[in-house]
Amino acid sequence: MATSKKNKNTPPAEPVNQDLPVNLNRKRQIRLAFGLFFLLTGIFISFYIISYFFTWKADQDKFFTDKSISYFLFHDHSVIANWGGRMGAALSHMFVYMGAGVASMAIGLWLGSLGLNILYGKSILPLLRYLRWLSITLLLIGPILAYSLPNAAFPFGGAWGNEAIAYLNGFFGSGGTGLILLAISLFFLFSVFALDLRPFINSLGTSLKKTLAAAFVPREKPATEPETPAEEPLVQEEIKKENKETEPENEVNDKSGWNMTLNEKERLLAEEQLLVAEHLPAYENETESEEYPEDSEEEEIGELELNIHTTEPKAIPKEDLELSFEVIQQNEKPAILHGSHISIADKEPYAPELDLPDYKFPTIDLLEDRTQEIISYDKEELEKNKNQIIQTLKSFGIEIQRISATVGPTVTLYEIIPAEGVRISKIRNLEDDIALNLAALGIRIIAPIPGRGTIGIEVPNANKQMVSMRALITSEKFVNNKMSLPIALGKKIDNENYVVDLATMPHLLMAGATGQGKSVGINAILVSLLYKKHPSQLKFVMIDPKKVELSIYKVIEKHFLAKLPNEEEAIITDTKKVIYTLNALCIEMDNRYELLKEAGARNIKEYNEKFISRRLNPERGHKYLPFIVLVIDEFADLIMTAGKEVEMPIARLAQLARAVGIHLIIATQRPSVNVITGTIKANFPARIAFKVSAKVDSRTILDAGGAEQLIGRGDMLVSHGSELLRLQCAFVDTPEVERIVDFIGSQRGYASAFELPEYEGDEEENSKVADLSNRDKLFEDCAKVVVQTQNGATSNLQRRFNLGYNRAGRIMDQLEAAGIVGPAVGSKPRDVYFKTDAELEQFLSTLF
């Protein structure tokens, strides 16, 4: 009977394709289709959920609206961060947030397994067992995660976990819920995985027996007599046996032939190190640095002590050889960025009124990868410089106690502690002598270093290394900062990234000779802001008398630039237009102060927060205020051609514009007193000095010397607050800037550049006459607003139509000439002669 059954199921000898029924082929195709469907569905669900772990913050708020999921899938056009698009965001939200949390991954895995089984037509994976695990995972892991992480922002347990824990807490209490979850978990672990507790219990019993035996073995000798090995308990005998087996490994043969155990050898070494420490005091630097593995084959530096007596020249006395010398280096690690085609502004908060929802921030791959995580150094160079410093100071009768070196990308800082009784001014006066002995340019002495209690000697490295802009942009300090206008300038001597908020400066004055890195510094600042800010949050006013330095940014005119009305070029190069632009910025500043006054806000941050929370009415002229950054590339040329006409509005902006979000960056090649006057310096507390030609220029820009000792090519001094830091400016090349602005310019922008208020010169303002035959195009609209509000104030027109004071005043004069409003009466609003719109319409129809 078994044979007949086997023959019945055996395929015929003829070719299958000749006698195979048509419906069997169709069933096979259907099976393959279903198998592929379930396999791909499982893969896609798993992929969507994995993406949700990284993108849930960006997408979650889109589901907490009164709109349905179908509206989100087919009608919403907001930007989605999930790797699977809208479908991925919706499914992962339903599975994770509204479902079982992290445990929802099991659904995708089970569906993929089901698809594999259907594809192969047999049980490749045990689905029944997987289904059991799936049920356990969904029913158990969700509540456990929700109970373990009650305050986590991420929905680890999902809606199922939260609801289950809420019910159990209300029924059994928090403690009882924990015990119940533990009991259920142990039950499933032992029942599903068939865990055996006997080895664990046996091991526990053996340990307990040994402990009890050691505790209760009777002692025959008094406590005052030492115990002999023969009287030790059983446990001690076992330990001795183990020690006897490992004894050959612990024995160390010294040079005299004596055998010593490892413990004895360690004791002798410790005593020897203690004697050495008493005669050679170690120097612990106050600056902590990252530690790297010892005995590394690469030139990685942590806190490294060098025994300098092995390489000391004979010319130096023996007592100087006992100085401890350590090399300190800090290396900041970049933030964790998954791929180069991403933006570093993923965590940037967006205001709800953004007009460009599809705008994409520049990606990291637009910048060249010049990253060098570990700054290499020449050990021989450090030893040589250290010896020369000691010898030079010794020749002038200056004794020092300790010396250390901090290696930077272009400069090494040698910190010394002089002996007692040595005057600091004596060391400060040896700057040229030390530079002569070291045969190096750019040596600067800091005596003393603020807050350190040491004297610093900055010596340029023989092999200088470039600071990559990409390394700063991807650093943790820049990516995760909460600054209003973050700018990444470069690296300090200790290799720490220097990121500062332009809004706290609040204005920046830059100076430096030609070719020393001033233009690169401006590009570094602008690129930093482009990587962090949305076009609705920031606008640039660029003034370039040289006409070539900032012209590269004209591509982003409709995204980030601001200009005067009816102007063709957004990059201002003509001196007369510069004067108009600066005065227009002053008008913009005054208008913003009026808005802040009406809103009851003290600064732009408070005002924008009120506007975002819909506490300000746009119909009354309120709007979201972006930051405005004024960039002037060559200020000396403007002073030479315009003088006071440029200096006065600059001084007004520097004094008042900070609170309303207008910040200034002014650069010049010639920092002389007739260019950087006292009025300007008083309102620019933050200064940057690249290499200058004379000490008087350094004192003009920094109020201190030192800029004349810089080595150029991005080496700079930054004065911010009470600090004077030496930095190596981040390098960003022109092709990199072109790629960034082209990336931004290729996207959809605003209809036009951000328009500043209109400004007319004094001569035109004095000669203007209210001519009704040449009425302003907003004449009728302004007349209707005046009648509707019964407010004849010029400031009312400014706020309603975003007009400059001059244009609004000209329209008000035309309204007065037409007989719609009365004459000005001091600071009071003008009288309005029409009460209704109908009266005004009838009157306007009679005007020619």
Side-chain angles (χ1 to χ4, degrees):
M1 186 171 181
T3 305
S4 62
K5 183 177 180 180
K6 180 179 180 182
N7 294 334
K8 184 178 180 181
N9 296 331
T10 303
E14 292 83 11
V16 177
N17 292 333
Q18 295 180 0
D19 298 330
L20 189 65
V22 178
N23 58 349
L24 191 58
N25 276 331
R26 187 173 182 181
K27 289 181 179 179
R28 182 173 179 272
Q29 293 174 355
I30 294 174
R31 177 173 57 81
L32 292 177
F34 274 97
L36 284 174
F37 172 78
F38 284 107
L39 177 62
L40 293 178
T41 302
I43 293 174
F44 288 156
I45 290 177
S46 302
F47 180 76
Y48 297 158
I49 293 176
I50 292 174
S51 173
Y52 184 86
F53 297 156
F54 302 94
T55 61
W56 66 280
K57 284 186 178 181
D59 294 339
Q60 195 178 55
D61 60 335
K62 301 178 179 62
F63 296 95
F64 295 108
T65 62
D66 54 352
K67 306 296 183 181
S68 61
I69 295 293
S70 61
Y71 178 86
F72 169 79
L73 290 174
F74 304 107
H75 301 288
D76 191 10
H77 299 291
S78 58
V79 178
I80 304 302
N82 192 283
W83 303 337
R86 299 188 177 281
M87 181 60 69
L91 287 178
S92 59
H93 179 76
M94 288 189 292
F95 278 114
V96 179
Y97 185 84
M98 302 173 63
V102 177
S104 301
M105 275 289 297
I107 299 176
L109 297 177
W110 188 85
L111 288 176
S113 303
L114 176 62
L116 284 177
N117 285 356
I118 297 177
L119 276 177
Y120 284 91
K122 57 182 179 179
S123 179
I124 301 296
L125 297 173
L127 284 184
L128 292 178
R129 187 171 63 181
Y130 279 7
L131 184 60
R132 179 177 58 184
W133 290 354
L134 172 63
S135 303
I136 296 172
T137 302
L138 296 180
L139 293 175
L140 190 59
I141 293 183
I144 289 177
L145 291 176
Y147 181 83
S148 304
L149 304 169
N151 299 322
F154 185 84
F156 288 96
W160 152 245
N162 294 333
E163 292 296 328
I165 293 302
Y167 178 80
L168 291 176
N169 284 340
F171 199 84
F172 298 101
S174 179
T177 300
L179 293 176
I180 290 174
L181 291 177
L182 178 61
I184 296 175
S185 302
L186 293 176
F187 172 79
F188 277 107
L189 286 174
F190 293 127
S191 61
V192 174
F193 298 100
L195 295 181
D196 190 3
L197 287 179
R198 284 178 296 178
F200 173 76
I201 295 175
N202 293 336
S203 176
L204 182 63
T206 302
S207 300
L208 184 60
K209 288 179 181 179
K210 292 180 179 180
T211 304
L212 294 175
F216 294 100
V217 168
R219 301 179 182 269
E220 298 178 358
K221 291 193 174 184
T224 57
E225 298 181 5
E227 295 181 355
T228 61
E231 297 174 346
E232 291 180 349
L234 179 62
V235 178
Q236 300 294 330
E237 293 178 358
E238 294 179 358
I239 296 176
K240 288 181 64 178
K241 291 181 181 179
E242 295 176 358
N243 292 337
K244 186 175 182 181
E245 294 175 357
T246 59
E247 193 173 19
E249 299 177 359
N250 294 336
E251 289 183 354
V252 181
N253 294 327
D254 63 353
K255 295 181 180 180
S256 62
W258 290 93
N259 293 331
M260 294 182 293
T261 63
L262 184 60
N263 293 334
E264 293 173 345
K265 186 67 175 178
E266 291 179 350
R267 178 178 57 80
L268 292 178
L269 288 175
E271 293 176 355
E272 182 180 355
Q273 292 176 0
L274 182 60
L275 291 175
V276 173
E278 292 176 354
H279 293 85
L280 297 177
Y283 172 50
E284 296 182 359
N285 198 322
E286 294 179 7
T287 304
E288 297 182 359
S289 60
E290 296 182 5
E291 295 183 357
Y292 290 85
E294 298 179 357
D295 302 330
S296 176
E297 297 180 357
E298 301 177 357
E299 292 184 350
E300 297 182 358
I301 323 167
E303 294 187 358
L304 181 64
E305 289 194 359
L306 306 178
N307 296 322
I308 61 177
H309 62 276
T310 58
T311 59
E312 191 73 8
K314 295 181 180 180
I316 301 178
K318 183 179 180 180
E319 55 270 16
D320 292 335
L321 303 182
E322 297 178 353
L323 291 173
S324 63
F325 180 55
E326 62 177 351
V327 182
I328 304 168
Q329 182 184 12
Q330 295 180 353
N331 297 287
E332 291 201 4
K333 297 180 180 179
I336 300 175
L337 298 172
H338 304 279
S340 60
H341 297 276
I342 66 172
S343 165
I344 57 92
D346 294 334
K347 299 181 180 179
E348 185 72 19
Y350 293 99
E353 77 285 352
L354 294 179
D355 298 327
L356 299 178
D358 299 328
Y359 175 79
K360 298 185 182 300
F361 286 84
T363 54
I364 300 170
D365 58 340
L366 300 174
L367 294 170
E368 294 291 338
D369 189 4
R370 303 185 182 92
T371 305
Q372 207 164 7
E373 294 184 359
I374 305 298
I375 293 184
S376 62
Y377 74 103
D378 189 347
K379 191 173 181 179
E380 295 181 359
E381 178 188 354
L382 293 176
E383 290 286 347
K384 178 183 176 182
N385 291 340
K386 183 264 303 181
N387 296 336
Q388 291 291 350
I389 291 173
I390 295 176
Q391 188 174 13
T392 303
L393 296 176
K394 183 71 174 179
S395 63
F396 286 94
I398 299 175
E399 300 287 344
I400 62 175
Q401 297 178 357
R402 298 183 182 94
I403 182 171
S404 65
T406 302
V407 182
T410 58
V411 176
T412 298
L413 174 65
Y414 295 87
E415 292 186 64
I416 63 174
I417 297 180
E420 295 183 3
V422 176
R423 299 181 63 180
I424 295 178
S425 59
K426 193 174 180 181
I427 299 177
R428 190 186 297 116
N429 295 332
L430 297 178
E431 189 172 75
D432 295 335
D433 298 283
I434 296 175
L436 177 63
N437 289 337
L438 294 178
L441 297 176
I443 289 180
R444 193 171 73 104
I445 293 181
I446 312 171
I449 298 178
R452 300 286 291 274
T454 59
I455 295 175
I457 302 176
E458 296 175 350
V459 181
N461 299 334
N463 297 320
K464 303 172 181 61
Q465 297 183 354
M466 183 182 298
V467 175
S468 170
M469 189 69 197
R470 177 168 178 165
L472 265 70
I473 292 294
T474 58
S475 65
E476 183 76 18
K477 185 177 293 185
F478 185 82
V479 172
N480 296 323
N481 70 78
K482 303 298 182 183
M483 301 176 182
S484 298
L485 295 174
I487 55 177
L489 288 177
K491 287 182 178 288
K492 297 193 290 187
I493 289 180
D494 58 0
N495 203 34
E496 179 185 355
N497 295 331
Y498 187 75
V499 180
V500 67
D501 192 356
L502 178 62
T504 62
M505 285 187 165
H507 311 296
L508 180 60
L509 187 61
M510 304 174 65
T514 303
Q516 304 305 320
K518 178 167 49 62
S519 297
V520 175
I522 293 177
N523 286 332
I525 293 174
L526 297 180
V527 167
S528 302
L529 295 174
L530 291 178
Y531 266 92
K532 262 295 193 181
K533 308 308 291 184
H534 190 274
S536 66
Q537 300 171 329
L538 175 64
K539 301 297 176 184
F540 293 108
V541 177
M542 296 188 178
I543 298 176
D544 184 13
K546 292 190 291 187
K547 304 180 181 180
V548 293
E549 293 293 342
L550 299 177
S551 59
I552 191 174
Y553 294 96
K554 64 182 180 182
V555 182
I556 58 174
E557 174 182 341
K558 294 184 178 180
H559 298 82
F560 282 100
L561 299 190
K563 64 178 184 180
L564 292 171
N566 303 321
E567 286 292 331
E568 296 182 359
E569 297 292 335
I571 310 295
I572 302 107
T573 57
D574 183 70
T575 304
K576 187 174 182 180
K577 293 181 180 179
V578 169
I579 298 173
Y580 289 176
T581 302
L582 294 177
N583 284 279
L585 273 175
C586 292
I587 298 173
E588 174 72 15
M589 176 184 68
D590 295 335
N591 293 342
R592 289 190 171 199
Y593 268 113
E594 287 291 331
L595 293 176
L596 263 64
K597 178 183 176 182
E598 290 192 2
R602 295 176 299 174
N603 52 53
I604 187 175
K605 184 178 180 180
E606 295 180 3
Y607 177 86
N608 284 336
E609 288 177 354
K610 288 187 176 182
F611 184 82
I612 291 173
S613 59
R614 302 184 183 277
R615 295 162 61 188
L616 301 176
N617 188 358
E619 294 184 358
R620 299 188 59 183
H622 291 290
K623 57 185 177 181
Y624 184 84
L625 300 179
F627 285 98
I628 298 178
V629 176
L630 170 64
V631 183
I632 303 178
D633 186 46
E634 186 46 67
F635 186 63
D637 184 74
L638 296 179
I639 293 295
M640 291 175 60
T641 55
K644 293 294 183 181
E645 292 182 282
V646 169
E647 182 182 353
M648 296 312 295
I650 288 289
R652 278 205 70 210
L653 292 171
Q655 291 170 350
L656 301 173
R658 171 185 180 179
V660 293
I662 301 177
H663 303 278
L664 282 62
I665 300 175
I666 294 178
T668 180
Q669 294 179 358
R670 190 163 53 91
S672 56
V673 292
N674 59 340
V675 174
I676 304 176
T677 62
T679 305
I680 293 177
K681 285 181 62 176
N683 296 288
F684 282 79
R687 290 93 174 268
I688 291 179
F690 294 87
K691 182 177 176 58
V692 295
S693 57
K695 179 176 283 189
V696 63
D697 293 336
S698 177
R699 293 190 178 278
T700 302
I701 181 68
L702 295 175
D703 294 329
E708 75 282 359
Q709 298 289 347
L710 300 176
I711 60 177
R713 301 182 63 83
D715 191 17
M716 63 181 180
L717 292 174
V718 177
S719 175
H720 182 214
S722 60
E723 291 183 316
L724 184 61
L725 301 175
R726 190 169 185 175
L727 307 180
Q728 177 62 34
C729 182
F731 179 73
V732 53
D733 204 359
T734 302
E736 298 176 77
V737 181
E738 289 179 348
R739 290 196 294 267
I740 293 171
V741 296
D742 289 341
F743 178 86
I744 296 174
S746 63
Q747 304 182 50
R748 182 177 69 87
Y750 296 99
S752 62
F754 183 84
E755 286 194 358
L756 298 172
E758 187 179 12
Y759 174 79
E760 295 181 356
D762 294 337
E763 296 179 358
E764 297 180 9
E765 185 178 357
N766 294 333
S767 62
K768 66 181 180 180
V769 179
D771 185 8
L772 293 180
S773 62
N774 188 21
R775 297 191 299 271
D776 192 282
K777 61 181 181 181
L778 294 177
F779 175 82
E780 294 186 5
D781 294 334
C782 291
K784 293 178 181 178
V785 169
V786 168
V787 173
Q788 290 172 359
T789 60
Q790 291 294 300
N791 186 353
T794 305
S795 60
N796 184 33
L797 299 182
Q798 287 182 260
R799 292 192 300 271
R800 288 300 185 94
F801 297 98
N802 193 23
L803 301 176
Y805 180 80
N806 295 312
R807 186 179 179 185
R810 184 170 61 249
I811 296 175
M812 190 59 68
D813 291 338
Q814 293 176 357
L815 294 175
E816 180 186 353
I820 298 176
V821 298
V825 184
S827 60
K828 297 180 180 179
R830 300 169 182 258
D831 294 330
V832 182
Y833 296 146
F834 292 88
K835 302 301 181 183
T836 62
D837 292 340
E839 295 178 2
L840 178 64
E841 290 289 344
Q842 184 178 2
F843 173 76
L844 292 177
S845 63
T846 61
L847 290 178
F848 53 90

